[in-house]
């Protein structure tokens, strides 16, 4: 097998990994989760889950990837030849590819809203003097868009082409170079929007809701939701961090990298809260209705409409969201591309074509889930929602549990310790605590998430 490509700089390692983690899961999903789980109470538990459980599991995936020097399946075949552990890698690849199908659709939505912001179409037809009808206007506009066939389909195809262009360039010239540009841009845009949000009339009320925990609201459900969000926002269980870990040079300090990446993910979540909650408090948006797509594609245009230069703010935000979507989809696609390169021994271009060309069909079908295929149901859900629930609520927790059990109990002796300590050249003081979490705390915690999913179902 040919030598694995490597990220060329520390900046590239951090930017690419943050790009995989800081995506739609954090920018799009986190504020709605915080709102529906008690604001500050959820934030407190989420931060604890990220740092106390997310970091050790992230370290386990990094160590598995760099120690195995292969794709999500190949690492198990190289480390424990002939064992059944490779099925954990297969499940990670399956989960990531299924996620890619519907993530491409959401990425296409961001592209459409960015285009409508640039052209002014987003606000056309709205009576700006009638703020009462604004929320209905944007809600109807969103429904009309996603329920049509042609425009979501075209936007999904454009995002697939953009992904192919970056992925074909490879690990260094494509993923690393793009991440080095887009990640700093993402943080700059977030800081600009957060600064504006702090000037809103009721910013202090929004910040108090977001940052002040009500300990009576911390229930078992809140803890489970916070832990699930932590795993989702860190891209755990998708095979991404295993794949990227194989691209890390041996000199990279994995413990430091995981801490930096996790901390930056938390910073993005905090900035999103600072942007959202002062806005919903100041402009009378019904916070009880803020959920998922409503939050981003309905509520925020309403907020932008009430600001001077509304088109400019819409352009800034949807540029931010498209950046997050692009870095997310690229990292998810790389999991399967890496497998094709390593297992099938195909060139980079061939692997990209094998993975991405079918996405025109699969992503296209998902984009029609709200249009002409809306009546096609699987277990009572359209194709988009079915894939979302199957992957995030079942496959990802299963993969995370298997990786924790493998790295905690069955990995070759000295592998985990050697990777964390760079073969003894880095301090070993944190290793016992990391191993304890990976062996006991993390798998049990994720098992509760999995069981709660079946109970709710």
């Amino acid at each position: 097998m040919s030598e694995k490509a490597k990220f060329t700089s520390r900046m590239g390692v951090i930017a690419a990994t943050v790009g995989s983690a800081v995506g739609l899961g954090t920018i799009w999903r986190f504020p709605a989760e915080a709102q529906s789980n008690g604001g500050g109470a959820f934030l407190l538990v989420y931060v604890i889950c990220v740092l106390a459980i997310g970091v050790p599991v992230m370290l386990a995936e990094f160590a598995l990837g760099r120690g195995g020097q292969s794709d999500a399946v190949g690492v198990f075949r190289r480390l424990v030849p002939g064992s059944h552990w490779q099925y954990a890698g297969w499940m990670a690849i399956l989960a990531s590819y299924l996620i890619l199908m519907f993530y491409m659709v959401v990425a296409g939505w961001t592209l459409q809203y960015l285009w409508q912001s640039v052209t002014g179409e987003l606000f056309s037809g709205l009576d700006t003097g009638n703020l009462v009808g604004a929320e209905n206007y944007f809600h109807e506009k969103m429904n009309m868009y996603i329920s049509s066939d042609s425009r979501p389909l075209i936007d999904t195809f454009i995002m697939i082409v953009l992904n192919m262009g970056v992925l074909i360039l490879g690990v260094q010239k494509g993923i690393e170079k793009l991440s080095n540009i887009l990640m700093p841009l993402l943080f700059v845009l977030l800081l600009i929007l957060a600064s504006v949000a702090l000037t809103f009339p009721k910013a202090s009320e929004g910040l108090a809701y977001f940052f002040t925990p009500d300990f009576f609201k911390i229930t078992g459900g809140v803890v489970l939701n916070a832990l699930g969000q932590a795993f989702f926002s860190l891209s755990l269980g998708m095979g991404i961090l295993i794949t990227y870990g194989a691209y890390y040079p041996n000199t990279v300090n994995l413990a430091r990298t995981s801490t930096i990446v996790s901390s930056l993910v938390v910073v993005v979540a905090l900035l999103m809260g600072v942007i959202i909650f002062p806005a919903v408090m100041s402009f009378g948006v019904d916070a009880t209705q803020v959920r998922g797509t409503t939050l981003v594609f309905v509520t925020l245009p309403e907020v932008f409409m009430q600001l001077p230069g509304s088109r400019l703010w819409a352009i800034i935000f949807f540029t931010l969201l498209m950046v997050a979507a692009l870095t997310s989809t690229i990292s998810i696609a790389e999991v399967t591309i890496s497998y094709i390169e390593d297992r099938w021994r195909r060139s980079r271009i061939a692997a990209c074509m094998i993975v991405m060309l079918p996405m025109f069909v699969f992503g296209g079908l998902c984009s029609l889930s709200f249009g002409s295929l809306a009546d096609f149901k699987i277990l009572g859900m359209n194709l988009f929602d079915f894939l979302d629930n199957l992957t995030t609520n079942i496959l990802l927790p299963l993969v995370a549990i298997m990786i924790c059990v493998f790295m905690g109990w069955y990995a070759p002796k000295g592998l985990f310790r050697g990777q964390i300590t760079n073969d003894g050249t880095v301090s070993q003081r944190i290793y016992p605590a990391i191993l304890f979490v990976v062996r006991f705390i993390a798998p049990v915690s994720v098992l509760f998430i999995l069981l709660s999913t079946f109970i709710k179902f």
Side-chain angles (χ1 to χ4, degrees):
M1 184 175 65
S2 61
E3 183 71 16
K4 292 290 288 183
K6 302 292 182 185
F7 293 127
T8 59
S9 66
R10 183 181 178 187
M11 173 66 182
V13 167
I14 299 296
T17 310
V18 170
S20 72
V22 178
L24 295 175
T26 303
I27 293 177
W28 181 41
R29 191 172 185 259
F30 171 81
E33 286 292 307
Q35 184 280 322
S36 61
N37 288 279
F42 177 84
L43 175 63
L44 176 63
V45 179
Y46 169 76
V47 172
I48 292 173
C49 288
V50 167
L51 299 180
I53 300 178
V55 170
V57 177
M58 180 179 284
L59 263 174
E61 294 202 26
F62 284 161
L64 179 58
R66 191 169 69 174
Q69 283 296 294
S70 189
D71 57 273
V73 173
V75 290
F76 293 104
R77 288 181 172 177
R78 295 190 69 183
L79 295 173
V80 281
S83 76
H84 294 299
W85 283 106
Q86 63 179 299
Y87 292 111
W90 279 110
M91 192 174 295
I93 291 176
L94 174 63
S96 64
Y97 200 69
L98 293 178
I99 289 172
L100 191 63
M101 293 180 190
F102 67 86
Y103 245 41
M104 281 296 182
V105 178
V106 181
W109 296 350
T110 69
L111 187 65
Q112 176 64 209
Y113 270 67
L114 175 58
W115 174 250
Q116 290 190 15
S117 300
V118 172
T119 62
E121 183 183 349
L122 185 62
F123 301 101
S124 64
L126 173 65
D127 180 4
T128 56
N130 178 21
L131 300 184
V132 176
E135 190 166 347
N136 288 335
Y137 169 83
F138 289 116
H139 183 71
E140 291 175 5
K141 195 175 187 71
M142 180 65 186
N143 283 340
M144 288 178 61
Y145 165 64
I146 66 173
S147 62
S148 66
D149 284 345
S150 58
R151 293 176 71 180
L153 198 62
I154 292 171
D155 293 330
T156 300
F157 288 171
I158 292 174
M159 288 305 299
I160 294 172
V161 172
L162 289 176
N163 273 262
M164 291 174 66
V166 175
L167 289 164
I168 285 174
L169 291 175
V171 174
Q172 297 172 3
K173 295 180 179 179
I175 297 173
E176 182 176 0
K177 189 172 183 179
L178 184 78
S179 300
N180 284 340
I181 297 171
L182 293 187
M183 281 303 98
L185 174 63
L186 183 145
F187 278 91
V188 169
L189 295 177
L190 277 174
L191 288 170
I192 291 173
L193 289 171
S195 299
V196 172
L198 293 176
T199 67
F200 293 163
K202 296 184 179 180
S204 58
E205 294 182 24
L207 294 177
Y209 172 80
F210 183 53
F211 285 108
T212 306
D214 181 350
F215 292 99
F216 292 103
K217 292 183 178 180
I218 300 179
T219 64
V222 169
V223 173
L224 288 175
N225 288 335
L227 184 60
Q229 176 62 29
F231 271 67
F232 192 84
S233 61
L234 293 175
S235 299
L236 302 177
M238 299 183 191
I240 295 173
L241 303 183
I242 296 174
T243 302
Y244 277 17
Y247 299 153
Y248 286 3
N250 292 329
T251 55
V252 169
N253 186 321
L254 296 184
R256 182 183 300 160
T257 299
S258 63
T259 302
I260 292 173
V261 170
S262 301
S263 299
L264 289 175
V265 170
V266 171
V267 168
V268 171
L270 293 176
L271 288 174
M272 283 305 301
V274 170
I275 292 168
I276 296 299
F277 294 109
V280 298
M281 294 291 184
S282 299
F283 297 112
V285 177
D286 186 357
T288 62
Q289 300 302 315
V290 176
R291 294 290 188 277
T293 55
T294 301
L295 174 65
V296 173
F297 298 103
V298 176
T299 304
L300 282 177
E302 181 181 355
V303 172
F304 299 146
M305 183 196 67
Q306 300 173 65
L307 295 174
S310 56
R311 186 189 297 189
L312 174 62
W313 295 118
I315 291 172
I316 290 175
F317 181 79
F318 287 113
T319 298
L320 163 70
L321 200 63
M322 194 199 71
V323 166
L326 186 59
T327 56
S328 292
T329 49
I330 285 170
S331 61
I332 296 170
E334 181 65 19
V335 176
T336 311
I337 290 172
S338 176
Y339 169 79
I340 298 297
E341 281 190 287
D342 289 351
R343 298 300 101 205
W344 296 11
R345 301 189 182 268
R346 295 292 188 269
S347 68
R348 180 74 186 186
I349 294 177
C352 289
M353 293 297 105
I354 291 171
V355 171
M356 298 305 294
L357 288 180
M359 197 55 58
F360 285 100
V361 176
F362 299 137
L365 290 174
C366 284
S367 75
L368 300 176
S369 296
F370 303 95
S372 58
L373 293 182
D375 293 331
F376 175 74
K377 303 291 184 181
I378 303 175
L379 299 178
M381 296 173 280
N382 64 30
L383 181 60
F384 183 105
D385 292 333
F386 172 75
L387 292 176
D388 187 2
N389 279 277
L390 173 65
T391 54
T392 59
N393 294 331
I394 298 176
L395 293 182
L396 296 188
L398 281 175
V399 174
I401 290 173
M402 287 190 285
I403 289 174
C404 287
V405 173
F406 176 77
M407 291 301 291
W409 299 98
Y410 293 99
K413 185 177 181 180
L415 172 71
F416 200 4
R417 181 190 294 271
Q419 288 299 318
I420 289 179
T421 64
N422 285 10
D423 293 325
T425 61
V426 177
S427 173
Q428 302 184 25
R429 287 179 296 178
I430 65 167
Y431 176 71
I434 295 296
L435 183 62
F436 180 80
V437 172
V438 170
R439 278 184 166 179
F440 302 105
I441 305 298
V444 172
S445 301
V446 180
L447 181 61
F448 276 117
I449 296 177
L450 191 61
L451 292 177
S452 69
T453 298
F454 285 106
I455 291 173
K456 289 177 183 178
F457 181 78

